[in-house]
Amino acid sequence: MDGIINIYKETGFTSFDVVAKLRGILKQKKIGHTGTLDPDAEGVLPVCVGKATKLCEYLTGKDKVYQAVLHLGITTDTQDMSGTVLTEREPVVTEEEITAIIQSFTGRQMQVPPMYSALKVNGKKLCDLARAGIEVERKPREIEIFSIKILSVNLPRITMEVHCSKGTYIRTLCQDIGSKAGCGGCMEKLLRTETAGFSIEHAYRLREVEEIVKGADKKGRSISDIMLSVDEALKDYPKAEAKPGMEKLLKNGGRFFLSDICLKEAEKDRLYRVYDASGMFVGLFRFDASKKVFKPEKMFLQN
């Protein structure tokens, strides 16, 4: 069983919980998720099964879209409503003022990761240090907020849709917005609606997957109906088909020249989805323009 299932992670589950439960449901040990969601958050969590676990690194780096509820006037130690309240102030900003403040956070910027996160410092998770009452210095990381769409304003709550780069902490964004507004703020709710080409409209809850596996699905679906193939998940990378006679070399992960595939030209340092002449997906190969050769980066065809 190899492929990606678009899971709707429900509140109360950690991303690890989802993986553990799927191992039991699918009777498959080799499973990995593509990006941590906090226990209180919900939404899209693509899960890779079998050979598709090799895809995790390529999917975690993609843009993400969230719907978040910002609660102005409250700050907590976790930057969300699950934490201990540190300060409470009455928001005095107008709707126009907070709209302008929120929009000022679009673009490239440096963001300091929160203490309550899975990031590691000297081999230790920040969240574990935070629970032990230890705070350490965190280096700011560059992120990009591509857009923020304000969906509703009902002060002190603001619902917004955020399209951002990987590594962006929406909890920290909410806190920073509140700080700039002069009253503080934290995240009240978080829903991930898109990541790596997977959307919430086509996400499956764990109980649905279990019903499908047991043959109890009312729609009569099988596991293959909800599992995306490895090469489909890599559709953003251009396709390259090898000429006949290349099967053995490809299967062994060998290098080959531009003249060996059905492409007139290739982009420097670009990754390509490579297929053999029969249409079998082989893996990802990177084009070395200086030598005009394709080098294997990630193989998916089993020997």
Side-chain angles (χ1 to χ4, degrees):
M1 187 182 297
D2 306 297
I4 303 95
I5 302 177
N6 183 9
I7 295 294
Y8 186 109
K9 191 196 84 65
E10 300 174 72
T11 56
F13 290 116
T14 66
S15 299
F16 180 80
D17 290 338
V18 171
V19 169
K21 289 180 180 295
L22 274 178
R23 286 191 180 122
I25 293 170
L26 301 176
K27 302 296 187 286
Q28 174 92 5
K29 291 183 178 180
K30 205 171 183 181
I31 298 179
H33 65 76
T34 60
T36 303
L37 270 178
D38 292 338
D40 289 340
E42 57 185 317
V44 176
L45 182 70
V47 176
C48 298
V49 181
K51 288 191 297 183
T53 53
K54 296 179 181 180
L55 284 176
C56 290
E57 63 184 286
Y58 298 97
L59 300 181
T60 53
K62 301 293 185 179
D63 300 350
K64 306 174 194 304
V65 180
Y66 296 92
Q67 281 185 15
V69 176
L70 159 63
H71 193 127
L72 286 175
I74 295 176
T75 65
T76 71
D77 57 351
T78 59
Q79 301 180 347
D80 61 22
M81 294 295 284
S82 71
T84 301
V85 174
L86 301 177
T87 63
E88 285 191 70
R89 297 188 185 93
E90 186 72 26
V92 293
V93 292
T94 64
E95 183 174 333
E96 292 74 18
E97 289 171 336
I98 193 60
T99 297
I101 289 171
I102 289 172
Q103 292 305 326
S104 73
F105 280 86
T106 58
R108 289 185 180 275
Q109 57 201 272
M110 303 302 290
Q111 186 184 70
V112 178
M115 275 301 300
Y116 282 88
S117 66
L119 287 178
K120 292 184 177 181
V121 173
N122 297 324
K124 295 184 178 180
K125 288 184 178 181
L126 288 176
C127 56
D128 292 337
L129 294 172
R131 293 188 187 102
I134 301 170
E135 182 167 355
V136 297
E137 184 179 355
R138 288 95 67 202
K139 293 182 179 179
R141 303 192 304 177
E142 184 177 72
I143 62 162
E144 184 168 6
I145 307 293
F146 302 106
S147 66
I148 303 178
K149 182 180 179 181
I150 297 175
L151 302 178
S152 67
V153 178
N154 186 19
L155 294 175
R157 294 174 178 84
I158 300 162
T159 303
M160 54 190 181
E161 181 182 86
V162 183
H163 177 197
C164 58
S165 66
K166 70 169 184 175
T168 302
Y169 285 92
I170 304 300
R171 286 181 286 135
T172 303
L173 174 65
C174 288
Q175 178 176 271
D176 291 345
I177 290 171
S179 178
K180 193 169 182 177
C183 58
C186 68
M187 187 182 75
E188 185 171 287
K189 189 174 181 180
L190 184 67
L191 173 69
R192 185 156 67 191
T193 58
E194 291 181 40
T195 180
F198 294 89
S199 65
I200 199 165
E201 291 81 11
H202 302 101
Y204 302 90
R205 297 174 188 267
L206 287 172
R207 64 176 178 272
E208 292 181 89
V209 178
E210 188 169 17
E211 288 173 356
I212 290 169
V213 170
K214 290 181 176 178
D217 181 49
K218 294 179 180 179
K219 297 180 180 179
R221 294 169 296 187
S222 66
I223 195 66
S224 61
D225 293 326
I226 67 168
M227 185 174 284
L228 191 70
S229 68
V230 172
D231 59 325
E232 286 179 300
L234 295 169
K235 62 185 179 182
D236 289 344
Y237 297 102
K239 180 180 179 180
E241 187 174 304
K243 295 178 181 178
M246 296 282 294
E247 289 77 12
K248 186 175 181 180
L249 182 144
L250 291 173
K251 192 173 183 179
N252 292 324
R255 300 182 180 189
F256 57 89
F257 296 98
L258 181 58
S259 58
D260 293 321
I261 62 171
C262 301
L263 283 179
K264 291 183 179 180
E265 57 183 9
E267 295 181 40
K268 179 182 178 182
D269 293 328
R270 186 75 187 270
L271 280 173
Y272 287 81
R273 283 179 295 136
V274 174
Y275 297 75
D276 66 18
S278 69
M280 180 76 70
F281 177 57
V282 178
L284 288 174
F285 286 70
R286 190 177 297 278
F287 182 61
D288 184 341
S290 63
K291 298 179 180 178
K292 293 188 177 181
V293 68
F294 285 85
K295 299 177 181 179
E297 179 144 328
K298 191 70 69 174
M299 299 295 293
F300 294 94
L301 187 64
Q302 291 178 329
N303 289 320

